[in-house]
C-alpha cells in the first residue's frame, strides 16, 4: 500500500509498537512527512535518542519487521540517529525488550522466527563451509584493524574491567589452558581453530601436540604461516576439515567460539563426536556464546548479514545431548560482562581505523560492521547473553576434586615445566 493512506497505516503501526516498547528512556522519532513523535518517560540513567526516518519505504519496513529493518536502514542511511548515537539507540531498544515491554506484533514475529529457525538451522558439511566463508574469509586486513595481536576473535577474560584487550585475551587463553590440565606431549584437538592463536599457545607454552581444524581457507593459510614463523610446525598442524571428519583420539579437545556455528539440529552429533575423540581419561573445554533465556530464534539481521547458520544456545539446549551421551559435566562457568568489554574494545579500535575499513570495502560495510559490534555489545549488557564454558569428560575423576587448580592461572600462562608437575 502506497500513498497517503499507506503512510498513515505504517505510521499508526509503528506508533503502536513504540508506545508499547519504550518504557525506559526516551525516543524522539521524526517521520518523512516532517511530523515528530516522542516515546518513553526519559530520566537520568537511560538513553534519550532522536531518530529520523528518511523515506516511506523504511517506515513501512520498520513497521512490519523492525528487527531486520533497523540494521538495514542504518546501513543504507535511510534511518539517521542524531549524533550517530548508535550505542544509545540499541541500548534503548534492548533494555526495553529485555524488560518485557514488547508489543503483541513483536511477540508474534518472534514466534514465527523461532518456528522458521527450527527448519533452517541445520548445518550439513557443505553448508557449514559456505556459512563460515561468509564471515571468516573476509580480508585478513579487516580483522587486523580491531583484534589483538594474536587474532583472538572470541571473548576476552577480564580480571578487572580496566584490563586492556591484549591482557584480556592472554588471560582467556591461560584460563582455558588451566582447565585443560595440560602436560607436555598431550595430543590436543582444536575444533574451529581460527587463525591458530590458541593452538600455538598450547604448543609453545604447554608442550602440547595440536591439530587445529577450520572450514575457513583464509584462516587456514594464516594459521599455517604462523606455525612456520613460530618454529612450531612440528608440533602444530592445521587442516581444512569439518570436525565430523576428524578421526583418532585425543587427550584434550578444545573449541572456542565455534559451537555457535554447529546448528542446534547437530548438537547431539557434535557431542557424540567429542566423546568419541576423547581418550577414556580425556577432558574437553567448550567455550560458546549463550543465552540466559529459554531457547529462541536468532536475530534476523545478524543471520542475514553477519553469521548465516549461527545459533546462540540456551544452556538447556547444550546440556540435553551431554546428558544423553553419558558425558560428565565436570565444570560449568558463566561469563557475564566479559564479552561486552571485549566488544567495546573491538568497536573503538575499529572506529579509530574506519577509513582503512572503508578502503577495503565501502562506507556501507563500515556501517554494517559497526552495527554488528554495537548490537552485540548491547546484547551482552542488556539482552540476556553471556558466555558458557563447559568442561566435560568421559570419567568424572579426570579432573581434580575442587577448582583450586585454577587459582592464579588466568594471570598468565604456566610454562612447560609447571605443566609437567
Amino acid at each position: 500500500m502506497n500513498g497517503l493512506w499507506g503512510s498513515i497505516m505504517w505510521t499508526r503501526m509503528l506508533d503502536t509498537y513504540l508506545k508499547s516498547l519504550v518504557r525506559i528512556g526516551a525516543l524522539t522519532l521524526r517521520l518523512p512527512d516532517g511530523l515528530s513523535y516522542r516515546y518513553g518517560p526519559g530520566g537520568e540513567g537511560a538513553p534519550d535518542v532522536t531518530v529520523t526516518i528518511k523515506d516511506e519505504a523504511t517506515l513501512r519496513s520498520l513497521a512490519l519487521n523492525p528487527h531486520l529493518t533497523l540494521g538495514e536502514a542504518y546501513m543504507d542511511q535511510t534511518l539517521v540517529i542524531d549524533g550517530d548515537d548508535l550505542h544509545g539507540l540499541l541500548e534503548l531498544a534492548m533494555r526495553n525488550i529485555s524488560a518485557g515491554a514488547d508489543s503483541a506484533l513483536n511477540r508474534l514475529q518472534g514466534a514465527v522466527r523461532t518456528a522458521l529457525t527450527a527448519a533452517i538451522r541445520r548445518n550439513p558439511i557443505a553448508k557449514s563451509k559456505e556459512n563460515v566463508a561468509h564471515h571468516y574469509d573476509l580480508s585478513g586486513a579487516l580483522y587486523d584493524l580491531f583484534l589483538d595481536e594474536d587474532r583472538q576473535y572470541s571473548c576476552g577474560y577480564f580480571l578487572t574491567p580496566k584490563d586492556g584487550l591484549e591482557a584480556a585475551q592472554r588471560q582467556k587463553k591461560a584460563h582455558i589452558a588451566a582447565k585443560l590440565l595440560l602436560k607436555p606431549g598431550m595430543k590436543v584437538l582444536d575444533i574451529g581453530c581460527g587463525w591458530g592463536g590458541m593452538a600455538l599457545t598450547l604448543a609453545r607454552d604447554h608442550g602440547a601436540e595440536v591439530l587445529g581444524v577450520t572450514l575457513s581457507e583464509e584462516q587456514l593459510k594464516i594459521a599455517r604461516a604462523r606455525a612456520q614463523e613460530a618454529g612450531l610446525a612440528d608440533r602444530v598442524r592445521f587442516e581444512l576439515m569439518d570436525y565430523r571428519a576428524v578421526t583418532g583420539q585425543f587427550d584434550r579437545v578444545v573449541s572456542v567460539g565455534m559451537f555457535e556455528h554447529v546448528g542446534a539440529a547437530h548438537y547431539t552429533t557434535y557431542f557424540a563426536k567429542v566423546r568419541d575423540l576423547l581418550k577414556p581419561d580425556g577432558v574437553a573445554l567448550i567455550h560458546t556464546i549463550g543465552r540466559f533465556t529459554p531457547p529462541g530464534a536468532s536475530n534476523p539481521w545478524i543471520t542475514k548479514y553477519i553469521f548465516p547458520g549461527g545459533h546462540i544456545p540456551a544452556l538447556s539446549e547444550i546440556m540435553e545431548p551431554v546428558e544423553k551421551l553419558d558425558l560428565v559435566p565436570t565444570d560449568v562457568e558463566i561469563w557475564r560482562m566479559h564479552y561486552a568489554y571485549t566488544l567495546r574494545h573491538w568497536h573503538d579500535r575499529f572506529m579509530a581505523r574506519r577509513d582503512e575499513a572503508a578502503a577495503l570495502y565501502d562506507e556501507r560495510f563500515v556501517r554494517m560492521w559497526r552495527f554488528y559490534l554495537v548490537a552485540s555489545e548491547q546484547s551482552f549488557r542488556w539482552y540476556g547473553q553471556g558466555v558458557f564454558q563447559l568442561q566435560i569428560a568421559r570419567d568424572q575423576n579426570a579432573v581434580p576434586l575442587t577448582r583450586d587448580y585454577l587459582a592464579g592461572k588466568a594471570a598468565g600462562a604456566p610454562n612447560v615445566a609447571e605443566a609437567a608437575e
Side-chain angles (χ1 to χ4, degrees):
M1 183 181 295
N2 297 311
L4 177 61
W5 290 112
S7 180
I8 292 172
M9 183 176 74
W10 309 130
T11 298
R12 286 179 176 173
M13 285 180 64
L14 190 58
D15 179 63
T16 299
Y17 173 73
L18 292 174
K19 283 178 178 176
S20 171
L21 176 68
V22 185
R23 308 291 178 83
I24 300 169
L27 172 68
T28 299
L29 181 66
R30 300 192 191 109
L31 299 182
D33 60 9
L35 294 177
S36 293
Y37 296 81
R38 187 165 173 83
Y39 305 93
E44 292 187 10
D48 189 331
V49 184
T50 298
V51 169
T52 300
I53 297 174
K54 294 290 190 177
D55 56 45
E56 186 177 322
T58 300
L59 175 65
R60 179 180 65 248
S61 295
L62 278 169
L64 293 172
N65 193 352
H67 290 267
L68 175 63
T69 302
L70 181 62
E72 290 184 330
Y74 180 79
M75 290 161 58
D76 294 334
Q77 293 186 296
T78 58
L79 180 147
V80 177
I81 313 165
D82 281 15
D84 201 17
D85 186 13
L86 184 59
H87 278 99
L89 177 61
L90 292 178
E91 178 186 336
L92 180 77
M94 292 186 190
R95 286 180 68 175
N96 279 284
I97 292 172
S98 64
D102 214 349
S103 70
L105 171 62
N106 191 60
R107 291 192 295 272
L108 175 61
Q109 290 172 336
V112 171
R113 287 199 306 274
T114 300
L116 290 175
T117 296
I120 66 175
R121 62 186 176 184
R122 295 184 60 83
N123 270 332
I125 292 176
K127 187 64 176 178
S128 292
K129 189 175 188 304
E130 178 184 327
N131 289 338
V132 166
H134 177 91
H135 191 88
Y136 296 99
D137 282 348
L138 293 170
S139 170
L142 169 68
Y143 294 99
D144 287 337
L145 299 180
F146 66 95
L147 296 182
D148 65 300
E149 62 184 4
D150 195 40
R151 283 191 175 214
Q152 290 294 304
Y153 194 28
S154 59
C155 180
Y157 188 52
F158 289 78
L159 300 184
T160 77
K162 295 182 180 179
D163 287 348
L165 182 63
E166 302 290 343
Q169 295 294 9
R170 286 194 302 271
Q171 289 157 190
K172 182 264 300 291
K173 289 179 288 183
H175 193 64
I176 289 173
K179 287 186 174 182
L180 289 171
L181 297 144
L182 293 166
K183 295 180 180 178
M186 279 188 167
K187 296 185 182 299
V188 179
L189 172 65
D190 183 356
I191 300 176
C193 61
W195 293 278
M198 178 63 70
L200 295 171
T201 297
L202 299 183
R204 181 188 62 243
D205 296 343
H206 303 272
E209 297 179 13
V210 188
L211 169 63
V213 297
T214 178
L215 290 176
S216 167
E217 296 183 12
E218 181 72 17
Q219 289 184 333
L220 177 70
K221 178 176 62 177
I222 293 172
R224 284 178 168 174
R226 292 182 68 191
Q228 288 288 343
E229 293 167 5
L232 292 169
D234 60 330
R235 282 189 280 156
V236 183
R237 179 165 59 95
F238 295 107
E239 299 292 344
L240 190 70
M241 183 184 296
D242 190 279
Y243 72 93
R244 288 164 282 197
V246 179
T247 59
Q249 285 197 313
F250 298 82
D251 299 289
R252 302 290 185 260
V253 174
V254 63
S255 183
V256 181
M258 176 272 179
F259 189 76
E260 302 91 327
H261 304 285
V262 167
H266 301 276
Y267 287 174
T268 298
T269 299
Y270 176 89
F271 283 110
K273 189 65 178 181
V274 169
R275 180 198 60 197
D276 294 345
L277 292 168
L278 278 177
K279 292 181 179 179
D281 60 350
V283 177
L285 191 286
I286 314 300
H287 170 118
T288 179
I289 297 171
R291 65 174 75 228
F292 301 151
T293 56
S298 300
N299 176 273
W301 185 88
I302 290 289
T303 299
K304 181 176 180 178
Y305 290 96
I306 307 298
F307 292 119
H311 176 68
I312 305 302
L315 192 57
S316 58
E317 291 179 281
I318 299 173
M319 294 309 299
E320 182 179 3
V322 170
E323 294 166 356
K324 290 179 178 178
L325 290 164
D326 199 27
L327 288 164
V328 180
T330 50
D331 191 274
V332 179
E333 184 177 4
I334 312 299
W335 295 8
R336 288 162 286 114
M337 293 297 291
H338 296 266
Y339 223 146
Y341 299 147
T342 303
L343 284 154
R344 180 56 68 100
H345 280 288
W346 288 349
H347 170 269
D348 292 349
R349 290 160 71 113
F350 176 77
M351 292 305 292
R353 302 178 68 180
R354 66 172 313 284
D355 291 344
E356 295 173 68
L360 286 170
Y361 293 99
D362 55 30
E363 289 290 341
R364 187 174 186 267
F365 179 91
V366 170
R367 290 189 295 275
M368 178 189 78
W369 205 258
R370 182 174 185 235
F371 192 91
Y372 151 56
L373 293 173
V374 175
S376 298
E377 177 192 340
Q378 297 304 328
S379 293
F380 285 98
R381 291 189 183 276
W382 303 107
Y383 200 49
Q385 286 192 178
V387 170
F388 303 146
Q389 273 197 353
L390 177 64
Q391 183 194 60
I392 56 178
R394 294 174 61 181
D395 179 353
Q396 67 173 325
N397 295 308
V399 302
L401 191 61
T402 74
R403 268 184 169 182
D404 291 353
Y405 69 96
L406 295 175
K409 296 297 187 182
N415 59 35
V416 172
E418 289 175 325
E421 293 178 357

